[in-house]
Each structure stands twice: as C-alpha cells, then as structure tokens.
Amino acid sequence: MSSRPDSFAEVSLATPDTPLNSSTNHPPWISTSETATPCDSFVYTSCNSSPLLPTSHPGPCGEEIKSSPHSKKGATYVRAVLLFLSAVLAAVAVVVPVYFVVIKHQHHESETKGTSSSDPSSVGSHAGPTYGANGSTVTTSDGSTFTYINPFGGYWIDDPNDPFNDGARPNSWTPPLNESWVWGTNKVNGVNIGGLFVLEPFISPALFEKYPEAIDEWSLSTLMAADTPSGGLNQIEDHYNTFITEQDIAEIAGAGLNWIRLPIPFWAIEKWDSEPFLEQVCWPYILRVLQWARKYGLRVNLDLHTIPGSQNGFNHSGKFGKINFLNGVMGVANAQRALGYIRIIAEFISQPEWRNVVPVFGIMNEARVAVIGMDQMTSFYMQAHDMIRSITGYGEGNGPYFAIHDGFQGLSSWAGFLEGSDRIILDSHPYFAFDGNPNPEPIAIGTGLDAGGIWPTLACSRWGTEMNVSQTAFGVTFAGEFSNGFNDCGLYLNGVGNAQDVAPSCSLFLDSSQWNNTMKAGIQQLALASMDALQDWFFWTWKIGPSSNNSIASPLWSYQLGLQQGWMPIDPRMATGTCAALGVTADQFDGVYKPYQTGGPGAGTIDPVLVSSYGQYPPKSISGLTAGATQSLLPTYTSTSAIPTLPPPTFTPSPPSSVVIGNGWLDSSDTSLAATEVAGCSYPNAWDAISVPMPTALCPPTAGASANAVTSAPAVTTSS
C-alpha cells in the first residue's frame, strides 16, 4: 500500500556541474554543443521521409552537419585562443543572464504576485532556486535521479523559497509560465495525461483484466472494494502514485511539447453515499502533477471529465450506460451538482498561485448534445459562464479561459455561440477510429510525402479547413484530443468485452514490435498531417499501460511509445507545412480574434437576444421526459450543505511565512452553500432515472426548499 503524498515539495535538485555556455534565446546554462538552436524558422528536411533518426548527424534545425573542409594548419594556436575566450564568455554568460533571466525576473514576479517577501534582505536567509537544462540531473522526492533531456532550450526551476515560482519554460519558442500566452500567436503542442485520475480500460488494461466483470470505474471500484486481500480501493491509489511520474512530465517538456491536458473526476471533491468511487484521494496527486508541470514550464488544461449521472454514457464518464445529466427525471438535479463542482474547481484554480499553471479549465468532457439538446447545453453553458465570471471577474487575466466540447455536432454548429461572452474555448476531438466509417486503406505504404497512403491527406482535408473557419466563427478553438488511431484496434479500445478491437484483422496494430520502418513512416506522416491541420492540439494520450502479459496493446495511442520506437516526431514543429506539401491548402486564420474572445473590450456582455433565448435556467425543457410531464415536479436539491472546498498543498520544508499559499477559495464573498438532498424526500437513482415515473406531487408539499421545485443554481456574488 502506498502512502498518500502529504507533501509536494521536491528534494533539492542538481544543476550541471560544469559551467555551460549561453546562446541566443536560451537560458545561460545550456551548452550549445548539446542543444538545438532556437530554430524559430524551422525547416523540416532530413527527417521528411523516415520516422527514424537519419544516418547522417542532424543539425539542431534539421540540417545535416558535415566535417569541416578547412585545413588544420594553425589549428592548435587558434584552438587555444578560442578556448580561453570561450571560458571567459562562459563565465559572463552564466552569471549575467542568470541574474536577469531568472533571479531578477523572479524577484519582480514575487513582488507583483505577493508570494515572496518584497524585502531584499530576506533573500539571503533561504536557499535560492535550483534550476537545470539539457543534461542536468534531477533528484526526485524519493531520492531517485534521472537526466533531464531537453534539446530545445527548456529549463526547469525548483524553488523551495517560493513553491509558486513560475519562471520555467519547456522550450525556447514557448513563453515561460510567468509571461503571457497569446492565443493566435503561440501554438498549443500538447498531450493528454489520460487514464491517470479517470480510469479507462484501454489505458490501464491490467487493472481491468484482474476484474473481468469491470467495464468502467464504477464497476471496477465496486469489485476492488470487495477484494480486501488485494488491497481494496487502495489499488487505485497505487495507480495514482505510480502510473505517471515526475520523469514523465520532464519527458513531455523534453519532447518539444508545451501543454498537458489533465482529466480529473468530480470525486476529487466528494462523492455521495450511493457512489462507489475513491473519494478525495486523487486530489493531492492532482496537485503533485500541477506542481511538476510548474517545475518544467508546462501549462495545464484541467478537464472535468466526469459528471454526476453521466453526461455521455461512456465508460470514462464514471459509469457506462445512460445519460442522466440534463436528461430524464434526475437531469436537473445532476446538473445542480455539476455546477457546484465546476464552481469549486474554478475557485481553486483562479487563485493567483495557480493562474499561470492552469490557464484553461475544461468544464465538461464530451457532453452528448444529440441526446441532451443544443438549447439545453447552451442554457447550461451560459449559467456556468456567468457563475465562473462572477467568481473570477471579467477580462484578460481574471481566471482561466474555460473550454466546452463541441458535443460531436461539428465545429460549424457553434459559430457565433454566446457572442460577447468572456474567454470561452471550443474543444473538438477528431478521431478516425470512431467516426463510424471504417476504412480498410493501409498505412504501411509509400515513402516521403507519400508515406501513410490516404490517411495524412484525409487528416488535412477533413480537419484543416474547419479548424481555421472556427477560429473566426467561434473564437479560440483547439483539438483537445486526437490520436494516430486510424482504425479502432486496441485492447479494450471500444470497451471491455468488445471482440472487434482485438479481432484477427487487428493483430498487427496490437503489437508495435511487428512494425517495420515503412509502417512507422506512415504513422508519423499521419501524426504530422494531423498536427498541421489542427494547429493547436493535445494528443491522446501520453502513456498506455501494459496489459497483463506486459505488452502495450494500443500502441497507436501512446505518444511516449511512439517517441521511443520511432513513429512520433522528435520535434512537433516538423509538422509545419505538411498539409501544403501534400497539396491540401486552406485559408489560414490570421491569428487575430475579436477582442471579447480573448478577454478584451466587450468581454462578458453577451448579446441580449441570446440572453433572452438561453438565460433561463434550468432550461425551458428537459430531454428524456415522458410526453406531458410537468417539469416543475422534477426532483431537485436544496443548497444547504457545507461547501467541500479543495485544500492547497503542503510543502516540506515549509516556505517562508511571507509566501501566500491560499486556502483553495478565491472569492471570499462567495458563501452560497452546496447542493444536498431535501430531508425526508426520496429520490430516484441519479445514475439510472431515464425510465422512472415522474413525481406527481411536490416533496415536501410546503413552500420553500423543495426536492421537486425547479430552482436556480446557487447564487454567487462578484469578487471584490
């Protein structure tokens, strides 16, 4: 049994022992002999026809480095002079830029954030920040070490004096956390940390193979809880503790990526008695991942992946089966709980200590709009928008952007959505594997631009134009998920017990050891085309865990395995221009959004016509009810329970008393209570209430709080 992480501080981390030279746009401790140059004008050359490293040594920007043709006459004298000069320059390069880039910059940040003492005399009383770049040694909290490999100018920072130090950056072309991210200019090259806190059978197959009757986290938790000899639900905590490590986060930064999307469950906050989930235990581990992301300069899109009652009926919503969010008899009640959990997370991540690390909050993953209804979801999202902005305030810098999924309706369905709203992102999940049109075309064909057969061209033609159009028609748009899965082959990919994903025709795609260079080249070309078409993206997913026979049985979905075995690009910028090279062109978005879309003038002033149409909440009608049902009799909860706030991390050693850690709640004036059942009233099963009869009378039959009366979501007041 693993212990719960009461502290998230890191052991002092080592920097390179040898002074290193600086180069333009790089931190001063990076040796130019072991890292890439900034490559801001990256040209994809030598790797274009193969997913493997070229036989000739590639230069930092893809060019081939050849032996010098110059004569060696006089080289000894010249070398001696150059060595002397380089030693002097190295000393200057290490001392001066470190001061300006890290120390002075962080001192300014600490003054503006108020997370460290503004008294310069206090600086010397504590150890300063530890930092490292390519080749540095990282010592983890358990004492183990690894070498940080980052050939792209990224550097990590560990600062016990200020655990909220946001000076790290993942690469030279991404701004450090404490500098502004500019949508339309900076590009998201991200990866999901799927399956860590929201368990999925195909990502962690060994957990589900042990319990063959488990099909989702609900059933898995039920079976584990009954299996006390194996550790009961502590097996899930073991997974939290071991599946993703600090080295994984360091490797993500070292792969040229700059964001992670982190799915989390609502039971990080609480669960209700009828629910079998492991309550609250994952929250300290979530904080641990956020702190690792901060250390390596990675921004986080924190995604609420599960919703009470299920918003999509998928196994990764908590329970496979029916949709009971804004659908059916318990639809409104489940939405009350959902709004409450969105509120609690928004309060936490909007605190100054977390704003730079979590600039995006995905408030609901993959709601099935075709079942719930577009009008109903629009009403809910308007309610969520107003609630979140009443906590954070309006305009750029006041809390995170929040992301909504396209609901599988296509991006064009959301054009003009809530015009005048404040910083909403549209999230799309384009997949070939689940598009309902299986295509037997092979991918292990062709070379160079022809590698991958039709698949790279399909990615460009299907996704490129609609992503560009949506940037103008909606606003900021990204692909929160995509993969190399051009088919639906993979153990449990279609759910437990589905024989299709492991059929004989899938055998090749379950075992990457069978893949030759032609196949790897085709998969890489598909990845590059997808990245180029989508522009701002998060690959699903970083890691697939081994099955019980220790094999990775869904290799098309693992970014990490693709890097290790040669079918994922070693630099995501290699994707630039892939679609044009394939002859697929689209009118490129010019990078300029309407001011309100990025928190500028007009943000938060929603078109009055839209307010009139969708401002009523709960929605005017609820899907999944029997004909003639009286909506005013739908069960609801009363807001009389204490708020289960999310606690901040603790640090060992403790930072100076001047460091503000926060209490998990940004808006002290937001004092509304949480939803709970009305005493004395009985409720249908909130996860299985589609076919239950409608109530025929109010409970209790008195005025005031009622289990049946449709009421507004808990009111929140504007931050002072």
Side-chain angles (χ1 to χ4, degrees):
M1 174 180 171
S2 63
S3 60
R4 187 169 174 172
D6 296 319
S7 167
F8 299 96
E10 305 294 337
V11 176
S12 179
L13 305 182
T15 54
D17 295 330
T18 305
L20 301 175
N21 296 328
S22 66
S23 61
T24 303
N25 293 330
H26 282 276
W29 50 85
I30 300 181
S31 167
T32 55
S33 65
E34 62 180 3
T35 184
T37 58
C39 302
D40 291 328
S41 300
F42 185 84
V43 179
Y44 181 28
T45 56
S46 59
C47 300
N48 202 29
S49 61
S50 172
L52 307 176
L53 291 176
T55 54
S56 57
H57 179 62
C61 293
E63 75 278 16
E64 181 180 343
I65 296 178
K66 300 180 179 179
S67 302
S68 171
H70 298 296
S71 169
K72 296 183 179 180
K73 183 177 181 180
T76 302
Y77 172 77
V78 173
R79 187 177 296 113
V81 173
L82 291 176
L83 285 173
F84 173 76
L85 291 174
S86 64
V88 174
L89 291 173
V92 174
V94 169
V95 175
V96 176
V98 164
Y99 174 75
F100 284 102
V101 173
V102 178
I103 300 175
K104 185 173 182 180
H105 192 78
Q106 285 306 313
H107 178 62
H108 172 70
E109 278 293 308
S110 66
E111 289 179 344
T112 57
K113 290 195 303 179
T115 57
S116 297
S117 173
S118 60
D119 179 6
S121 65
S122 69
V123 173
S125 62
H126 297 87
T130 305
Y131 42 79
N134 192 33
S136 59
T137 299
V138 177
T139 303
T140 67
S141 58
D142 65 3
S144 61
T145 62
F146 64 87
T147 300
Y148 181 56
I149 303 300
N150 186 323
F152 304 118
Y155 52 89
W156 54 264
I157 296 178
D158 181 46
D159 188 356
N161 212 32
D162 179 6
F164 304 112
N165 185 318
D166 291 337
R169 72 191 308 170
N171 49 57
S172 64
W173 58 90
T174 299
L177 294 177
N178 53 23
E179 294 182 9
S180 296
W181 177 272
V182 181
W183 293 99
T185 299
N186 302 120
K187 292 297 183 182
V188 175
N189 300 154
V191 67
N192 282 271
I193 308 294
L196 174 56
F197 300 121
V198 179
L199 303 184
E200 297 196 35
F202 93 98
I203 297 177
S204 302
L207 288 177
F208 287 83
E209 287 175 311
K210 184 176 180 180
Y211 300 95
E213 296 178 3
I215 60 173
D216 50 27
E217 191 156 352
W218 182 291
S219 54
L220 181 68
S221 298
T222 301
L223 292 166
M224 280 186 170
D227 185 14
T228 53
S230 295
L233 286 177
N234 289 326
Q235 296 174 87
I236 294 180
E237 184 174 4
D238 290 339
H239 172 78
Y240 296 157
N241 195 36
T242 59
F243 184 64
I244 294 293
T245 67
E246 180 177 346
Q247 187 168 353
D248 284 295
I249 305 303
E251 288 179 3
I252 289 170
L257 303 173
N258 53 16
W259 282 72
I260 60 175
R261 180 171 178 261
L262 184 63
I264 63 171
F266 71 79
W267 50 90
I269 302 169
E270 67 169 7
K271 73 175 184 69
W272 284 13
D273 290 343
S274 61
E275 296 164 342
F277 307 116
L278 185 59
E279 182 180 31
Q280 299 177 344
V281 173
C282 65
W283 179 246
Y285 294 96
I286 292 169
L287 290 177
R288 184 172 71 170
V289 173
L290 295 182
Q291 284 297 92
W292 285 340
R294 186 194 309 272
K295 179 175 180 177
Y296 294 97
L298 295 165
R299 290 169 170 82
V300 179
N301 171 8
L302 193 67
D303 190 79
L304 183 57
H305 229 61
T306 70
I307 293 295
S310 180
Q311 74 279 23
N312 53 38
F314 300 149
N315 59 22
H316 48 71
S317 68
K319 187 176 185 181
F320 176 81
K322 299 176 182 178
I323 299 170
N324 288 272
F325 166 80
L326 283 184
N327 186 52
V329 173
M330 287 298 288
V332 171
N334 282 320
Q336 282 183 273
R337 285 183 69 190
L339 281 169
Y341 299 145
I342 291 168
R343 169 194 176 200
I344 291 166
I345 296 170
E347 286 279 9
F348 186 93
I349 64 176
S350 299
Q351 297 174 104
E353 297 78 24
W354 302 98
R355 287 177 181 171
N356 292 339
V357 180
V358 189
V360 174
F361 174 24
I363 64 173
M364 186 179 301
N365 178 64
E366 295 185 345
R368 292 270 295 281
V369 173
V371 175
I372 299 167
M374 189 69 170
D375 289 350
Q376 289 80 356
M377 287 306 306
T378 302
S379 179
F380 179 85
Y381 286 145
M382 182 179 289
Q383 182 78 2
H385 169 273
D386 293 348
M387 179 185 69
I388 292 171
R389 294 305 172 216
S390 69
I391 293 168
T392 68
Y394 289 86
E396 183 179 5
N398 291 313
Y401 283 66
F402 72 87
I404 62 172
H405 183 251
D406 67 11
F408 309 106
Q409 299 301 292
L411 296 179
S412 61
S413 299
W414 299 84
F417 180 79
L418 294 188
E419 186 173 351
S421 58
D422 184 15
R423 291 168 295 149
I424 302 180
I425 293 174
L426 185 57
D427 176 10
S428 184
H429 299 171
Y431 286 120
F432 286 126
F434 309 125
D435 66 3
N437 296 302
N439 194 321
E441 290 290 333
I443 200 167
I445 59 173
T447 59
L449 289 174
D450 294 326
I454 69 168
W455 295 105
T457 301
L458 278 178
C460 292
S461 59
R462 287 192 186 181
W463 303 336
T465 297
E466 67 173 359
M467 289 297 288
N468 275 294
V469 170
S470 184
Q471 306 290 352
T472 300
F474 176 94
V476 180
T477 305
F478 58 44
E481 299 179 17
F482 81 101
S483 79
N484 291 326
F486 66 99
N487 56 40
D488 61 353
C489 295
L491 179 62
Y492 298 156
L493 183 63
N494 292 292
V496 175
N498 191 318
Q500 177 182 343
D501 50 24
V502 291
S505 60
C506 282
S507 61
L508 174 63
F509 306 106
L510 305 178
D511 182 6
S512 61
S513 68
Q514 300 182 46
W515 298 356
N516 60 23
N517 286 351
T518 301
M519 182 164 177
K520 292 179 180 181
I523 297 170
Q524 183 176 101
Q525 189 71 351
L526 171 59
L528 293 170
S530 301
M531 292 172 180
D532 191 33
L534 298 172
Q535 301 178 50
D536 294 279
W537 47 263
F538 297 85
F539 186 90
W540 186 276
T541 183
W542 171 248
K543 176 184 286 187
I544 299 293
S547 63
S548 56
N549 66 4
N550 207 36
S551 66
I552 305 300
S554 296
L556 289 170
W557 298 75
S558 175
Y559 201 112
Q560 182 187 56
L561 189 66
L563 285 174
Q564 293 169 349
Q565 298 192 4
W567 65 81
M568 289 303 289
I570 57 176
D571 183 336
R573 295 172 300 169
M574 293 161 60
T576 302
T578 300
C579 290
L582 291 171
V584 181
T585 59
D587 292 334
Q588 292 295 307
F589 172 58
D590 62 8
V592 179
Y593 294 102
K594 296 176 183 177
Y596 79 84
Q597 294 170 337
T598 55
T605 307
I606 297 176
D607 184 338
V609 174
L610 297 174
V611 173
S612 176
S613 298
Y614 303 109
Q616 176 180 326
Y617 190 84
K620 298 175 182 178
S621 64
I622 298 296
S623 301
L625 301 180
T626 56
T630 303
Q631 186 164 317
S632 61
L633 297 178
L634 285 173
T636 59
Y637 300 123
T638 179
S639 298
T640 58
S641 180
I643 291 286
T645 58
L646 292 167
T650 56
F651 300 96
T652 303
S654 298
S657 59
S658 56
V659 173
V660 177
I661 295 178
N663 64 359
W665 200 257
L666 173 71
D667 182 8
S668 60
S669 68
D670 178 9
T671 57
S672 300
L673 298 177
T676 188
E677 293 183 351
V678 176
C681 294
S682 60
Y683 289 79
N685 182 345
W687 294 79
D688 188 17
I690 299 299
S691 58
V692 301
M694 276 285 296
T696 58
L698 294 176
C699 175
T702 57
S706 169
N708 300 91
V710 176
T711 58
S712 296
V716 290
T717 53
T718 304
S719 300
S720 56

